[in-house]
């Protein structure tokens, strides 16, 4: 089954499309224990990003028990914005980012089974903002727990175009 996702047509730049969606890339805070991205050859590895906004974790709990599906989808969109911010740190401009692979970790109950629906929210945003450069290989994984009891964490591999 194939699904087409359309992007806002009001602008030709990825930054403009992001702004049209009412979103902006966040400032990422430095961490003493890891870097937000590492470039090896032409690949850029983005560290796992949680759904932080303005320094605050936007949610905690387990999807399917404490966190509803739609809330988890919103949190995935915030986590992927943080990934994009790390990618821009690496390449300098959102229009130069191409997503290669995305791993979406969802802290969920064993019977939840809709991790891909959570991941779809992040995938949709990437395609809306980056167009073809946002299409990616993807894995959505249910896990028992994530750092700081976050419901979602996203890790990426990208490249510059």
């Amino acid at each position: 089954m194939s699904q087409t996702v359309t992007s806002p047509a009001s602008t030709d730049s990825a930054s403009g499309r992001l702004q049209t969606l009412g979103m902006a890339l966040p400032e990422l805070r430095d961490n003493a224990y890891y870097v937000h991205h590492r470039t090896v050859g032409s690949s850029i590895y983005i560290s796992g990003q949680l759904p932080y906004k303005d320094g605050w974790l936007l949610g905690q709990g387990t999807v399917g028990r404490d966190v509803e599906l739609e809330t988890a989808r919103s949190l995935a969109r915030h986590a992927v914005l943080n990934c994009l911010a790390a990618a821009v740190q690496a390449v300098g401009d959102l229009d130069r980012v191409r997503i290669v692979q995305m791993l979406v970790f969802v802290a969920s109950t064993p019977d939840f089974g809709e991790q891909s629906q959570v991941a779809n929210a992040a995938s949709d945003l990437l395609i809306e903002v980056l167009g073809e450069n946002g299409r990616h290989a993807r894995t959505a994984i249910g896990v028992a727990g994530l750092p700081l009891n976050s419901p979602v964490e996203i890790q990426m591999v990208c490249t510059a175009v």
Side-chain angles (χ1 to χ4, degrees), residues 34 55 58 63 72 75 90 102 107 111 142 147 150:
Y34 65 89
L58 295 175
V63 183
L75 294 171
M102 181 171 68
D111 62 337
S150 175

Side-chain angles (χ1 to χ4, degrees), residues 7 11-12 16 22 30 34 44 46 58 62 71 73-74 76 83 87 102 107 115 121 125 136 139 142 145 147 154 161:
S7 61
T11 182
D12 290 335
D30 289 336
Y34 65 89
I44 303 155
I46 307 296
L58 295 175
T62 302
T71 300
R73 288 173 51 83
S74 175
C83 289
M102 181 171 68
Q115 291 82 3
L125 181 59
H136 52 275
T139 302
I154 297 180
V161 292

Side-chain angles (χ1 to χ4, degrees), residues 44-117:
I44 303 155
Y45 298 86
I46 307 296
S47 295
Q49 298 291 320
L50 301 178
Y52 276 105
K53 183 175 182 181
D54 300 326
W56 295 95
L57 186 61
L58 295 175
Q60 291 183 307
T62 302
V63 183
R65 183 180 61 220
D66 315 307
V67 178
E68 298 292 325
L69 174 61
E70 285 309 311
T71 300
R73 288 173 51 83
S74 175
L75 294 171
R77 288 173 67 91
H78 282 284
V80 88
L81 277 177
N82 291 327
C83 289
L84 286 175
V88 168
Q89 282 183 352
V91 304
D93 187 308
L94 191 56
D95 285 310
R96 296 192 59 225
V97 174
R98 176 181 290 152
I99 310 304
V100 176
Q101 182 182 35
M102 181 171 68
L103 285 81
V104 179
F105 302 93
V106 181
S108 52
T109 60
D111 62 337
F112 177 65
E114 293 187 72
Q115 291 82 3
S116 63
Q117 293 299 314

